Structure formats: C-alpha cells, structure tokens
C-alpha cells in the first residue's frame, strides 16, 4: 500500500518540517493550508528536494462547513490516504493570565484546535479505516507546566488529548483498523510562539526529522502520548 499523508498547517513551521522529512523518506504528501500562495510556495520548495507532492487542500479549521468540503476533496482525489497529521492550530492570547483571558479567546482557540480538528478527524476516519490508517495529533501535555501555561491554548490541547484517548480505546474495543496517538514536539521555535528561541528549544528541521523517524519506526503507538523533547526547567 502507498504511503500517503495529509498534514494540516503544512505550508510552514512544524507542519512543513514533517512534510519535508516524511517526503524525503518516501511518503507522498498532501498539504493542508489556508492560503494558495503559501501552499504553492511550500510545494515548490518540497518538489525541489525531489519530494512527491500530490497537491494541496484548502482548509480552515474554524470553518466547519469548509472542513466538510475539504474532507470530500480528499476522499475523491486521494482515496489511498493512510495518515492524517493534525498539526494546524492557533496559539490564543499567550500574553495574558487566566484572570484576563477573554471568553472569546477561549472559544476561538477551542474551535480551531479541538472542534475543527475533531470534525476533520471524524470526516476522514472511514477512509483511513479502509486503508488501515493512522491519525497523529501534534499537541502538548495536559499536565500544567509551571513554566508555560497559556490557558486558552493548553485547554484546547487538553481537549484534543482527551479525544485521542477516547478514540484509541474505542478503536481497540471495536477492532477498528485505525491507530491514533499524540506527539508533543517539545519547545520549538515557530511562528506560533513568535519565533521564541531559548535554551532547550529546537528548530523545525530537528523536529521534522524526529517526527518522521517516529512515524516510520514500524511500531504500534495506539493511545500513546509521546514527547520528543519534554519541557524541562533550565
């Protein structure tokens, strides 16, 4: 069976790093992106490296009707899909504490990072199950770190982690030919955190390579939460 992956938020950041290194290891890539120009630029960069890019799909995770349309495009054009990487997300307002977090910020961050991700996963599950596929969420720990804990973002990812755990249990109980697990890349310099670079942070190239190695390791990771680089006190 061909190795075909759809990665949300794949035109930049960690998503692009995953696309690059999976592509270099033989995967066929479908990019999920919000903007045509950025998607086409990313595709051009990947193709220069000899990577087999099948195309890109316009997807905005806060647009629930749009998610349904994107899933239909994938089902029709890329019926051999074997891997979904839920990478896209928004940071929420990381500059405020919980007392000053607005309800609108909580709702918007949840809509993208949890609800949109859930709807896309749900829509693609039948196709992935037919292909004995996998679902991987790029996330952060649900446990609260004393060093970094923006409420809207951590809440949305905790919900995503719960989704993963419930789905993994149900897949096992129902003998569904699907695998789902979550990966925490660890502190990474990306647009999401304003390109923050501090001791203990890693770059996109390193994370992309580590993610590809994990995906290609031949092991089963049903229901696991895997930390590539745990957050530690410096």
């Amino acid at each position: 069976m061909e190795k075909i992956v759809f990665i949300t938020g794949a035109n930049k950041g960690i998503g692009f790093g995953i696309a690059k290194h999976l592509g270099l290891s033989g995967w066929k890539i479908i990019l999920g992106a919000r903007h045509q120009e950025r998607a086409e630029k990313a595709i051009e960069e990947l193709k220069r490296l000899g990577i087999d890019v099948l195309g890109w799909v316009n997807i905005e995770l806060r647009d629930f009707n749009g998610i349904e349309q994107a899933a239909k495009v994938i089902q029709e054009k890329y019926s051999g899909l074997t891997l979904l990487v839920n990478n896209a997300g928004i940071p929420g307002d990381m500059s405020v504490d919980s007392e000053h977090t607005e309800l609108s910020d909580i709702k918007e961050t949840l809509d993208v990072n949890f609800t949109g991700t859930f709807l896309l996963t749900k829509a693609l599950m039948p196709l992935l199950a037919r292909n004995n596929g996998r679902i991987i969420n790029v996330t952060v720990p649900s446990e609260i770190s004393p060093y970094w804990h923006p409420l809207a973002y951590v809440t949305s990812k905790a919900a995503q982690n719960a989704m993963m755990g419930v789905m993994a249990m149900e897949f096992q109980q129902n003998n569904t030919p699907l695998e789902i697990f979550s990966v925490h890349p660890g502190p990474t310099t990306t647009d999401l955190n304003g390109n923050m670079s501090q001791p203990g942070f890693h770059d996109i190239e390193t994370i992309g390579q580590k993610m590809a190695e994990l995906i290609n390791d031949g092991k089963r990771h049903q229901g696991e939460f895997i930390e590539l680089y745990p957050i530690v006190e410096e």
Side-chain angles (χ1 to χ4, degrees):
M1 182 176 290
E2 289 185 315
K3 297 187 295 184
I4 301 175
V5 57
F6 177 58
I7 307 165
T8 62
N11 62 285
K12 64 176 183 177
I14 290 174
F16 181 81
I18 296 170
K20 174 182 175 180
H21 286 280
L22 281 180
L24 290 172
S25 68
W27 284 78
K28 296 184 177 182
I29 309 298
I30 310 162
L31 280 74
R34 295 184 295 169
H35 304 286
Q36 181 174 349
E37 185 177 347
R38 295 176 189 172
E40 290 176 347
K41 181 181 178 182
I43 289 172
E44 185 179 328
E45 291 182 38
L46 293 172
K47 285 188 173 181
R48 276 203 302 265
L49 297 170
I51 292 169
D52 189 351
V53 183
L54 299 181
W56 77 284
V57 175
N58 189 304
I59 186 163
E60 166 60 77
L61 289 174
R62 76 189 78 205
D63 178 2
F64 300 154
N65 291 328
I67 290 171
E68 184 177 339
Q69 292 305 310
K72 287 182 179 178
V73 169
I74 293 168
Q75 290 160 353
E76 292 171 1
K77 293 183 65 176
Y78 309 111
S79 60
L81 184 73
T82 50
L83 175 61
L84 167 64
V85 178
N86 287 315
N87 165 75
I90 61 173
D93 188 348
M94 294 188 172
S95 68
V96 296
D97 60 14
S98 56
E99 180 183 355
H100 299 96
T101 298
E102 299 290 341
L103 179 59
S104 58
D105 186 42
I106 294 283
K107 184 178 185 304
E108 181 182 24
T109 310
L110 279 168
D111 278 351
V112 174
N113 295 356
F114 171 64
T115 309
T117 296
F118 163 70
L119 290 174
L120 176 64
T121 302
K122 179 181 178 183
L124 292 179
M125 277 168 56
L127 174 60
L128 288 164
R130 286 200 299 271
N131 296 328
N132 293 291
R134 289 182 288 171
I135 301 158
I136 298 173
N137 298 330
V138 179
T139 183
V140 300
S142 298
E143 295 79 9
I144 307 305
S145 164
Y147 315 111
W148 186 83
H149 46 262
L151 181 63
Y153 185 76
V154 173
T155 298
S156 69
K157 290 297 186 175
Q160 195 181 99
N161 293 341
M163 177 190 83
M164 183 278 293
V166 170
M167 286 184 175
M169 183 177 296
E170 291 173 344
F171 294 163
Q172 289 179 308
Q173 290 174 338
N174 300 327
N175 293 316
T176 304
L178 270 175
E179 180 184 0
I180 185 170
F181 61 96
S182 294
V183 180
H184 173 220
T188 309
T189 301
T190 68
D191 288 353
L192 185 140
N193 55 31
N195 292 306
M196 182 185 299
S197 182
Q198 295 184 3
F201 274 61
H202 297 86
D203 59 27
I204 290 164
E205 190 74 11
T206 300
I207 298 303
Q209 185 173 358
K210 286 287 186 181
M211 285 287 294
E213 289 172 359
L214 174 64
I215 290 167
N216 291 324
D217 70 5
K219 299 178 182 177
R220 190 161 176 81
H221 297 289
Q222 185 77 280
E224 293 183 12
F225 181 94
I226 299 168
E227 293 195 86
L228 298 183
Y229 295 103
I231 297 173
V232 296
E233 183 178 7
E234 296 294 334

